[in-house]
Amino acid sequence: MDDDVTTLRRVPGFRSYWSAATVSSFGSAVSAVAVPVLVVTVLHATPFEVGLVNAAQFLPYAVFGLLVGAYVDRFRRKPLLIWASVGRGVCLGAIPVLWLMGLLDLWVTAAALFVFGVLSVVGFAATQSLLPRIVPRPLLLAANARVDQSDAAAQTVGPALGGVLVSIVTAPVAIALDALSYFVDAVLIARVRVVEQQPARRAEGRLRSDIADGLRWTYGHPTLAPLALSTHLWFLANAAALTVFATLALRTLALPAAVYGTVLAVSGIAMLVGATAAPRLGTRFGAGRTIIAARAAYPIAWAAIAIATLDVGVAPPPTTVVVLFVAFAVHGAAAGCENANEMSLRQTVTPDALLGRMNATMRSANRTLAAAGAVGGGALMTVAGAGPALLVVTLVFVGAVVVAACSPLRVSAVR
């Protein structure tokens, strides 16, 4: 694996690609704290409204995901990624500008995040499909692990930094930093050295056929199909969990923004550890088994949070806060172990001509269910409270494990 890392450093274009992903991840990690604080404490949203705003970022995947995937396979991916990054920077930058002008409200914020989500559909489909053109397929696991390590480092520092920034300069200004990161991302991607041939022109009438090909590949493949279903359930549960947790931590437990950010930062530290171990785990045990084992950790972490926060109000005891830190550490380590293995497995078994459609199909369904999870989590917490909502979240996480474990995924490896 050390030889793979050494070889990866000599791959033209990878360093700029990796740097772009790192900068963007740091900005996004700051917004992971700033946006919930903005919505909950500045705009005074109810739990259901928090879910609606979170859903606004994911809804475009349901509306445009399959269409974007078909078009991504019709164009060179580097230019698409550059313009998607510029557009996302503009969308996020509009939030602090409107706030300074006194024009920011809940629905304007949701609209900005919706447009941001539309551009993210394009950006993520392009970036996940561009990497296999930069890096030889035997090095994809090492490359994805590198990107995950940067993401984990960002999630380690970013939330704590975000919490401090929110406390000092307010949430909208912290979001402005994420906007800036997307412009830097675009400049770095422009420097990536990669040879991309313009894909052969397809007749517009083939658009439905192209979309159908992507769906058939993703949900007809013996390994991708159960992986996709398990991942969809994970996104449903995770979005619901984070929506419930944001309101629980910031309002019910009244944790300071800095403490809330530090809890998320612990998850980032653990994710960094997991991402570092991911290539070795995938090589030794196989990508499929590594993914399954990691997913078994999530229901344990969220069950612990549900139990620890049961009937706890403002100023929770230290033991409750400790459980939150430990649970998020488990969550982060699991994510770090599985992410690189999942992405590498998807990229390895899929032909280049179908990568855009496969990635967009997966991400479209993932984010659609994340939108449902965000709204559902907020609604369930409003009606039944945090405890029952987190219990339902735990059961959905268990479902994701069962689907993956009872499939050919358990004997799958990256080749």
Side-chain angles (χ1 to χ4, degrees), residues 24 38 62 77-78 105 114 134 156 164 166 236 252 266 272 284 298 311 336 352 381 386 398:
S24 180
L38 171 74
R77 290 152 188 175
K78 177 179 167 180
D105 61 23
F114 178 82
I134 299 172
T156 301
V164 173
V166 167
L236 176 68
T252 305
V266 167
L272 177 59
R284 181 171 181 180
Y298 296 112
D311 297 326
D352 183 79
M381 183 176 182
V398 170

Side-chain angles (χ1 to χ4, degrees), residues 348-368:
T348 300
V349 303
T350 304
D352 183 79
L354 283 164
L355 274 173
R357 280 166 283 177
M358 180 277 295
N359 283 321
T361 296
M362 289 274 284
R363 187 168 283 271
S364 175
N366 287 343
R367 293 314 193 267
T368 299

Side-chain angles (χ1 to χ4, degrees), residues 277-296:
R280 286 186 171 84
L281 292 172
T283 301
R284 181 171 181 180
F285 300 107
R289 288 178 181 173
T290 302
I291 293 167
I292 293 168
R295 290 197 177 169

Side-chain angles (χ1 to χ4, degrees), residues 203-298:
E204 288 299 320
R206 279 192 50 83
L207 185 60
R208 289 186 180 181
S209 177
D210 288 347
I211 292 173
D213 287 344
L215 289 167
R216 274 194 297 268
W217 178 262
T218 304
Y219 297 109
H221 192 281
T223 300
L224 282 181
L227 176 60
L229 179 55
S230 175
T231 304
H232 298 341
L233 289 173
W234 184 93
F235 271 88
L236 176 68
N238 196 60
L242 294 180
T243 297
V244 172
F245 182 73
T247 307
L248 173 67
L250 294 169
R251 182 166 294 161
T252 305
L253 303 180
L255 295 180
V259 175
Y260 175 71
T262 305
V263 171
L264 299 183
V266 167
S267 179
I269 295 172
M271 185 178 174
L272 177 59
V273 174
T276 303
R280 286 186 171 84
L281 292 172
T283 301
R284 181 171 181 180
F285 300 107
R289 288 178 181 173
T290 302
I291 293 167
I292 293 168
R295 290 197 177 169
Y298 296 112

